[in-house]
Amino acid sequence: MLRRAVLQTFRQGLAQSFFKRYAVSLTETTVTHQPIETSNEAGERSVPTQKTGDESRNTVVVAPPEFRFMYPEFLPDPAMETRNRLREKLERMDMLQRRSVIEIPEFYTGSIMAVTVADANSPNKFARFVGICIQRGGSGLRAWFILRNVVDKQGVEILYEMYCPLIQKIEVLRLERRLDESLLYLRDALPEYSTFPLDMEPERRLNNSVVPINPLKVKLRPRPWLERWERQNLQGVEDLNLPQRFYDKAEKVAKPWEKYDLMLHYRKTIPAEEQEKIFAEVHSQLQQQELKRKLRRRRGPDNEQ
Amino acid sequence: MNQADLSKLVSALRIAVKPKPRPLSCPEGPAGRLRKLRATVTALVKYERIELYYPRAEEAQGYAERLISDAIRNGDCHKHTMEMADYWLNEKQLVHKLFKVLVPRYQNYNSSFSRLVLGPNSYPGYFAGTAILELKGNPFPALQPETHNYHYWLHNVLLDEAKKEFRSAREERNAGTTESVTAES
């Protein structure tokens, strides 16, 4: 059963760098992210009903509820001022088209991934990077994720746009979740928590139905830090051991009423009915692509023989 | 560009939601804003029809709709919904009213659960006018007269036919006189 941990709120640290749509760059950046709360939800719902050929019965295609966690970039940006239904529909069509060409696997913050990008300036024309996903965001074709690794004692983060045509391959080497939805605190943690071998092999999952949550608590380096982690209610960090004045100031600055602000939550999310409609639209195509890939994988070793 | 928050499932509200909330200034700041709106939402659930100024009424309508839609979607055994009901309703007997009376009343509604009607303004003035915020299905007489389509009522059908007859008779008479004039000339 998927467990959702309580997540942190945090403010924008460094200014967000802007990237060209199809470029991939090598910087240490922080990116804006909305505060998130989670609650334990019963994920049990009925099996999705498939559309039958019988037109007299009004059967409706319904995607499983986990789709919104597996494909969060299909949901549009909730900001009302910039919503455009037609643009969103066209973007979804383009996203499905790209997904039919390349496999974009299911991944979460805390998964270790390897991305191969076409690079004209590298000797073998491809650049491969392995790292842990510390954050993901964006919606539609501009969905991105950041991979972090420590190479030759230098921390390196790369922001990849998931639907960039330069990306050749995205592999998930270890699929797991962490206690927080954003692992930006790894920048202030000891380097061993961000180091992963660049020639890491993909690990086999023991249980395909459940994504494991790694309850690792990370040790931070001594201050100064990039952000005020004590104000962010982080679950995946060991006790910060700060003087009491930090916690007092955090309490003074906190906004406890936001937990009860129903309209604030409403403006930050897409309503359930709309989510169902969107995933019902893309569900059948995504399932077909999954099946084709599974068949290709099964036939793969046979073809080699 | 931000990703939608996935932690909670919310029902779509059937009222017009403005992109930005109103600050509703008060000495305590944002905490005071929610305190004021709590009083308004409690009064709305208690009395089912309240008269107040328009800006606060519009904000409170959103929160009331959200509370009721959450109660309908999740029921009273859902921890988060009960926490919200406990916060937003200052009188605890109203929490019972929400789940035992309002949820069954609005279970099958396809429209919004509340109605915001503009009220009388004192003239002259530069302030936002009064508004009446009410929950639908309340026991009071309706604020606005019911609109019916009177077109197909019997007396209107008969009157329309009588008018058509009169007009066609008049045209025949006019046609008759013009023919006689042309014939004479």
Side-chain angles (χ1 to χ4, degrees):
Chain A
M1 206 51 216
L2 285 169
R3 241 196 328 117
R4 333 280 189 236
V6 174
L7 307 165
Q8 80 280 19
T9 57
F10 56 95
R11 295 185 205 94
Q12 188 175 0
L14 308 170
Q16 182 182 3
S17 336
F18 291 95
F19 303 93
K20 269 192 182 172
R21 253 202 78 149
Y22 46 83
V24 134
S25 52
L26 213 95
T27 48
E28 291 255 348
T29 60
T30 54
V31 288
T32 52
H33 197 50
Q34 291 295 330
I36 289 177
E37 283 173 50
T38 52
S39 58
N40 284 322
E41 276 194 295
E44 273 105 23
R45 257 181 66 168
S46 56
V47 170
T49 57
Q50 294 296 320
K51 222 185 229 171
T52 58
D54 187 1
E55 292 295 293
S56 56
R57 278 191 297 159
N58 287 334
T59 49
V60 174
V61 174
V62 172
E66 288 79 39
F67 261 42
R68 68 186 212 271
F69 298 104
M70 286 164 61
Y71 309 107
E73 72 272 8
F74 278 93
L75 295 176
D77 186 346
M80 266 177 245
E81 291 118 321
T82 51
R83 288 206 58 184
N84 182 334
R85 299 294 195 270
L86 179 62
R87 184 199 64 215
E88 288 156 22
K89 201 174 173 89
L90 294 173
E91 277 202 51
R92 284 196 291 273
M93 280 164 57
D94 279 349
M95 285 156 79
L96 288 170
Q97 163 63 21
R98 179 69 189 157
R99 273 175 181 267
S100 68
V101 168
I102 184 183
E103 186 197 352
I104 299 176
E106 172 195 358
F107 67 96
Y108 302 93
T109 308
S111 307
I112 299 160
M113 300 161 67
V115 176
T116 320
V117 178
D119 186 3
N121 302 320
S122 78
N124 35 353
K125 303 296 175 191
F126 291 117
R128 187 169 187 268
F129 186 71
V130 171
I132 182 171
C133 175
I134 60 171
Q135 203 181 29
R136 71 182 289 185
S139 53
L141 288 166
R142 277 171 279 186
W144 50 263
F145 58 92
I146 305 180
L147 295 187
R148 178 182 170 82
N149 205 339
V150 174
V151 176
D152 287 344
K153 297 189 186 172
Q154 169 66 52
V156 172
E157 288 181 13
I158 307 187
L159 185 148
Y160 292 102
E161 292 197 350
M162 279 156 73
Y163 294 90
C164 171
L166 289 175
I167 291 182
Q168 305 299 303
K169 196 172 184 191
I170 303 177
E171 300 159 272
V172 172
L173 306 175
R174 190 191 303 165
L175 178 65
E176 65 178 10
R177 299 175 76 152
R178 291 284 194 96
L179 296 171
D180 302 301
E181 277 301 308
S182 165
L183 301 177
L184 294 178
Y185 53 78
L186 288 178
R187 293 169 183 164
D188 283 326
L190 299 171
E192 53 255 32
Y193 292 104
S194 312
T195 319
F196 301 95
L198 292 172
D199 53 1
M200 191 167 162
E201 295 286 325
E203 294 170 15
R204 290 209 62 184
R205 277 169 74 191
L206 298 164
N207 187 353
N208 261 354
S209 58
V210 174
V211 176
I213 298 184
N214 188 349
L216 178 66
K217 297 240 177 193
V218 152
K219 217 176 280 189
L220 296 188
R221 283 197 298 253
R223 277 192 315 114
W225 293 328
L226 287 165
E227 287 186 41
R228 293 186 230 246
W229 305 116
E230 73 276 5
R231 294 188 187 181
Q232 293 183 24
N233 194 17
L234 302 172
Q235 299 301 304
V237 174
E238 266 191 26
D239 190 24
L240 297 172
N241 281 331
L242 291 170
Q244 186 56 36
R245 66 173 199 278
F246 285 90
Y247 301 112
D248 293 340
K249 191 67 193 287
E251 261 184 52
K252 218 169 135 187
V253 152
K255 298 182 188 176
W257 57 85
E258 277 190 1
K259 179 182 169 198
Y260 302 103
D261 197 337
L262 295 168
M263 288 306 285
L264 182 74
H265 305 152
Y266 186 76
R267 288 186 176 103
K268 279 206 204 133
T269 189
I270 306 289
E273 290 88 344
E274 212 174 325
Q275 283 193 22
E276 278 168 31
K277 228 166 69 172
I278 290 170
F279 285 121
E281 228 182 86
V282 304
H283 165 252
S284 52
Q285 288 212 36
L286 285 169
Q287 269 207 335
Q288 271 173 31
Q289 287 170 6
E290 263 291 312
L291 283 167
K292 274 190 204 155
R293 288 207 178 91
K294 275 191 189 151
L295 285 169
R296 228 178 287 152
R297 260 179 244 142
R298 256 179 242 151
R299 274 190 221 129
D302 296 339
N303 285 343
E304 280 163 47
Q305 287 170 9
Chain B
M1 286 291 271
N2 295 306
Q3 255 180 27
D5 181 27
L6 298 175
S7 51
K8 294 182 198 71
L9 269 180
V10 303
S11 303
L13 293 183
R14 294 180 188 275
I15 51 166
V17 175
K18 293 206 161 86
K20 288 198 160 54
R22 278 193 185 82
L24 289 185
S25 62
C26 59
E28 296 150 36
R33 172 178 176 273
L34 280 199
R35 181 186 52 78
K36 279 185 169 181
L37 288 169
R38 246 201 293 180
T40 312
V41 169
T42 307
L44 177 65
V45 171
K46 183 172 179 183
Y47 298 112
E48 297 198 26
R49 180 185 283 174
I50 53 175
E51 185 177 339
L52 67 166
Y53 284 120
Y54 182 78
R56 196 153 147 189
E58 199 181 27
E59 296 290 301
Q61 190 191 23
Y63 288 96
E65 295 266 339
R66 274 283 288 123
L67 191 63
I68 297 171
S69 73
D70 266 359
I72 292 172
R73 175 173 273 272
N74 299 321
D76 55 357
C77 294
H78 192 241
K79 186 178 166 214
H80 182 258
T81 308
M82 194 43 105
E83 266 179 31
M84 294 294 127
D86 181 51
Y87 177 86
W88 280 97
L89 300 169
N90 290 329
E91 290 168 36
K92 298 314 150 193
Q93 66 206 17
L94 295 175
V95 175
H96 291 280
K97 182 179 174 183
L98 171 71
F99 289 108
K100 300 269 160 61
V101 174
L102 298 182
V103 165
R105 194 201 286 184
Y106 297 125
Q107 193 78 51
N108 299 316
Y109 262 52
N110 289 327
S111 69
S112 60
F113 314 125
S114 61
R115 191 180 290 124
L116 183 60
V117 177
L118 293 177
N121 298 344
S122 59
Y123 176 84
Y126 293 100
F127 41 80
T130 57
I132 296 138
L133 185 56
E134 63 167 7
L135 291 177
K136 286 185 183 171
N138 63 59
F140 310 119
L143 283 170
Q144 292 158 319
E146 283 175 21
T147 49
H148 289 298
N149 189 354
Y150 302 103
H151 182 64
Y152 292 107
W153 287 23
L154 182 60
H155 61 281
N156 285 329
V157 170
L158 296 172
L159 280 169
D160 287 341
E161 288 302 311
K163 283 179 203 163
K164 277 185 206 162
E165 265 188 51
F166 177 77
R167 264 186 247 121
S168 58
R170 186 179 52 189
E171 275 169 26
E172 272 170 40
R173 266 187 282 119
N174 289 345
T177 48
T178 51
E179 273 173 17
S180 57
V181 163
T182 49
E184 280 170 18
S185 64

